[in-house]
Amino acid sequence: MIPVCSAKGCRATAIWALRWNNPRLHDAQRRKTWLACADHRQSLGDFLGARGFLREVAPVDPSPTLEP
């Protein structure tokens, strides 16, 4: 399955994984993930960062089951 951007209405291939948690709801080790295409990496990161939720941004790992 090809990773798709988490931005509303976007169907582009995701190349970034934005890992986050809400410290009021999740323990410190818990990570949720939003996926982002190149166009939405900044806006999704800004949204999470403004709330203090963003923990890490990393490239999406390629799937071992998909052809390059």
Side-chain angles (χ1 to χ4, degrees):
M1 194 164 176
I2 296 173
V4 176
C5 181
S6 298
K8 185 175 182 177
C10 185
R11 303 306 304 158
T13 299
I15 58 173
W16 295 105
L18 288 77
R19 297 192 180 99
W20 63 278
N21 77 349
N22 180 339
R24 289 186 285 163
L25 301 176
H26 308 119
D27 63 47
Q29 292 75 31
R30 170 92 188 263
R31 293 290 181 267
K32 298 188 83 164
T33 301
W34 281 358
L35 300 175
C37 65
D39 291 340
H40 291 111
R41 186 259 171 257
Q42 188 68 46
S43 60
L44 291 174
D46 288 348
F47 179 88
L48 293 169
R51 289 153 181 78
F53 295 172
L54 187 61
R55 303 293 176 247
E56 174 186 14
V57 177
V60 171
D61 293 328
S63 171
T65 60
L66 294 176
E67 294 293 322

